[in-house]
Amino acid sequence: MSQIGFWDILTNLIFATGWTVLLSIISFIGGGILGLILLFARIGKRKWLQHVVKVYTEVFQGTPLLMQLFLAFFGLGLMGINVSPFLAASVALILWTAAFLVEIWRGCVTAIPKGQWEASASLGMTYVEQMRHIILPQALKLSVPPTVGFSVQVVKGTALTSIIGFVEVTKAGTVLANATFQPFTVYGLVALIYFALCYPLSLSARKLERKLNAAH
Amino acid sequence: MPLIDIDALHKSYGETEVLKGIDLHIKKGEVIALIGKSGSGKSTLLRCINGLEQINGGAISVDGQQLINDEMHLRNLRQKVGMIFQQFNLFPHKTAGENVMLAQQVVKKTSKSDAEAMARKMLDRVGLGDKFDNYPDQLSGGQQQRVAIARALAMEPIALLCDEVTSALDPELVGEVLEVVRELASEGMTLIMVTHEMAFARDVCSRLVFMHQGRIHEMGAPEEVFTNPQTPELRSFIGMSH
Ligand SMILES: Nc1ncnc2c1ncn2[C@@H]1O[C@H](COP(=O)(O)OP(=O)(O)O)[C@@H](O)[C@H]1O
Ligand SMILES: [Mg+2]
């Protein structure tokens, strides 16, 4: 067996990073779309729908992501649905991301002062018109920094999918560490890669926050 | 026939009854000042007239139309009765002009060009013709409140409800807003205003309504009410506000 050198480790890790990035993007976009749908149910006028979404978010926020991944992978398998680690990871992460985003966004909607609701109501706007023209545009602006900030959690969350056998950068790191007996080098590189992915995100979240505070 | 009819109006928040049977009949062109201690129910009364609060008993009708709490009826009511708030409540993400245009376009389905023409006219009317493109945070409190008045006027209401419209303003900005209100009154707009500006109320209003503990305690022409209060509560209230 030929020796695995530093550059081999690095190129393998960078290749696996592609999967981390892809899974992050899928989770974030999928979770964003689902979260938006759930948001409308959560802040809508139907009590039972609000309640359903509330229970949903509490379940997904109140259980470890790892358990959700296990359930998606083994649970669906037990039900006779054969899922690949990639599919199970995507499904679990989308559901998990949506549960957090819907709460973040709901917070932004409730942060809009009551006076905005009253002023628009007193001008004759209906609930849907108030939402569309007054509340959501302002909430959207508020939501950008925490949403970008949360994307960091999503990237780090993908690391757990290594446990159900999905080969993203953490899993690739484990394989390489076992093969090379250089766990410190390998995991050090893995950590650096995560940092390179996450730091720009948290930095821009902070920048956006400052910009938002400065304007209006 | 009165423009606004309020009969035996009751309003409670949970267990506490805040309005305990209000009867008030307001004719077109009347300018009513609602006065009374904090907590006496003045804001609640205004909010009931505008359908912002659901009433627990009695009846309100505006321009012959009973107040009914569904979206369509409320929409009709609110096009007839505008409201100005203590905190202005301008839409911060829209310019002054857009603030005045929005509800015309959304609620009345006015075309953009007509809404803009109306907005310019109304901003001119409150003396802010040159502020069309300014955002609320670029305006002083007095200017913001005048934009809020223009925004309500653009819906062409038959009455305006004003809830302490100068209370959040620095003293030097109170005058410019009161001037606009005085102008509206002289043009025949029906106004119901909660105010602590006693001199203004005395000067501009056709009727003074003194509220105490959720009831109309005394009312009448301003001169009469001020110079000859009938109840100890009103006497002490007038004494306090001097
Ligand atoms: N949303 C609410 N929930 C419970 N109590 C309220 C609410 N709004 C007002 N109140 C109570 O109703 C009473 C009358 O309030 P309000 O109409 O605001 O009085 P005013 O405008 O004369 O100061 C007060 O005791 C106040 O605490
Ligand atoms: Mg009040």
Side-chain angles (χ1 to χ4, degrees), chain A residues 45 114-116 118-127 129 133-134 137-138 216, chain B residues 47 50 52 71 75 78 85 89-93 102-103 106-107 135 137 151 155:
Chain A
K45 284 201 158 163
K114 200 162 139 255
Q116 295 289 305
E118 295 188 338
S120 48
S122 78
L123 289 163
M125 289 189 209
T126 59
Y127 179 77
E129 290 163 354
H133 296 286
I134 308 300
Q138 294 182 62
H216 290 88
Chain B
R47 295 163 59 81
N50 201 241
L52 285 175
E71 206 159 60
R75 195 179 176 88
R78 286 165 177 168
F85 302 85
N89 297 341
L90 290 184
F91 308 133
H93 59 304
L102 181 68
V106 171
V107 177
Y135 281 90
D137 66 350
R151 180 173 71 176
M155 301 301 281

Side-chain angles (χ1 to χ4, degrees), chain A residues 11 52-53 60 121 206:
Chain A
T11 45
V52 168
V53 177
F60 278 87
R206 231 173 305 143

